[in-house]
Amino acid sequence: MKGLISAIQFITILRLGKSGIFEPQGMVPFFPIVGIILGVLVAGFDQVVTSLWSGPVAALLDVIFLIVITGAFHLDGLGDAADGLLGHRSKQASLAIMKDSRVGVMGLVAILCVLSIKWGGITSLDAHRSLLIIIVPAYARGGMIFGIRFLEYGRDAGTGHALFGSRLKCSAFLGFIIPVGLSFFLGWKGIWLNFVFALTITGLLMYYKRRIGCITGDMLGAMAEVTEAVLFLMVSIGA
């Protein structure tokens, strides 16, 4: 239970249980479950706003609501990662730029693009709208586990350093049972969702490995945001 509470406190603004609980290794397997919690909150919010406003406005409010309940935690990482990685810089220069709290043009453009893609994807959802809004955030947060498992941490310290204390066991991926199980209710779209997820995570890990050969907390946040945007966009095809 401490692992779940720690994961909730780490990647959301929700404050369940005692404050200050931090179980770095213990919370990682719960990332997909925290994503489900976020998805349920957004889906409930979506039910309310779609009854009051048109689809595009409701989708915009959904995106804003998701930003609020996560405290823009992953978006901050996306901006820093984009500033550091998008360019022809050395590994050390990229890491130094990502450590800078200021957001540059690359970071701003990346954030705007990702949020726009999310908005477009959610706007286009029709069939299985609520279920997709619930499980896509779970896949996105769970995707960070692959980064922790298969890439080395690129700093001696930092927000994400504690997550890399020891090599994750295969059991760390058990949290995926819930979103993957729910995806079967989507029929062929569920198969498509899992295929796109696998392709996106593999592509991001390969890019990180080739670009600087490691990963940071900012890059984990970027993984979550990019994966979420891609999944919302791709599952909206033919919706």
Side-chain angles (χ1 to χ4, degrees):
M1 184 58 72
K2 284 186 178 180
L4 176 58
I5 294 174
S6 180
I8 292 173
Q9 292 184 359
F10 185 64
I11 58 179
T12 78
I13 64 170
L14 304 176
R15 290 296 172 258
L16 300 180
K18 296 181 181 180
S19 61
I21 295 178
F22 187 58
E23 297 281 342
Q25 293 283 293
M27 71 179 175
V28 172
F30 292 99
F31 283 176
I33 297 174
V34 176
I36 288 287
I37 294 172
L38 292 172
V40 168
L41 293 174
V42 178
F45 180 79
D46 181 70
Q47 290 292 319
V48 175
V49 295
T50 51
S51 67
L52 299 174
W53 288 283
S54 64
V57 175
L60 176 62
L61 294 175
D62 288 342
V63 172
I64 294 174
F65 181 67
L66 186 54
I67 293 172
V68 171
I69 61 178
T70 57
F73 183 52
H74 302 312
L75 279 177
D76 180 62
L78 172 64
D80 289 339
D83 283 334
L85 297 177
L86 300 180
H88 302 287
R89 303 180 182 90
S90 66
K91 173 182 176 179
Q92 294 307 317
S94 296
L95 291 173
I97 290 172
M98 282 189 275
K99 195 173 183 179
D100 192 333
S101 60
R102 294 170 295 182
V103 178
V105 174
M106 288 293 192
L108 180 59
V109 170
I111 291 172
L112 289 175
C113 287
V114 163
L115 293 179
S116 297
I117 292 171
K118 285 187 191 181
W119 171 79
I122 296 175
T123 299
S124 302
L125 293 179
D126 186 11
H128 306 295
R129 179 184 177 94
S130 291
L131 182 55
L132 285 166
I133 289 176
I134 289 173
I135 64 177
V136 166
Y139 277 95
R141 273 77 198 168
M144 294 189 292
I145 301 176
F146 290 88
I148 297 171
R149 175 65 175 80
F150 294 108
L151 292 178
E152 295 180 357
Y153 191 67
R155 302 186 189 280
D156 296 326
T159 303
H161 183 264
L163 302 177
F164 294 78
S166 60
R167 190 173 180 84
L168 292 179
K169 299 179 180 179
C170 293
S171 59
F173 294 90
L174 289 177
F176 271 103
I177 292 175
I178 297 176
V180 171
L182 290 173
S183 72
F184 284 104
F185 292 98
L186 299 171
W188 284 106
K189 182 161 287 189
I191 297 175
W192 173 242
L193 171 66
N194 285 288
F195 173 75
V196 172
F197 172 74
L199 199 63
T200 302
I201 293 298
T202 301
L204 286 170
L205 292 179
M206 290 177 64
Y207 172 70
Y208 287 168
K209 182 70 174 179
R210 185 178 68 254
R211 182 64 182 80
I212 61 174
C214 61
I215 196 168
T216 68
D218 289 325
M219 293 162 70
L220 286 174
M223 280 186 74
E225 288 293 335
V226 170
T227 301
E228 193 167 67
V230 169
L231 292 183
F232 272 130
L233 179 67
M234 299 308 289
V235 297
S236 67
I237 294 176

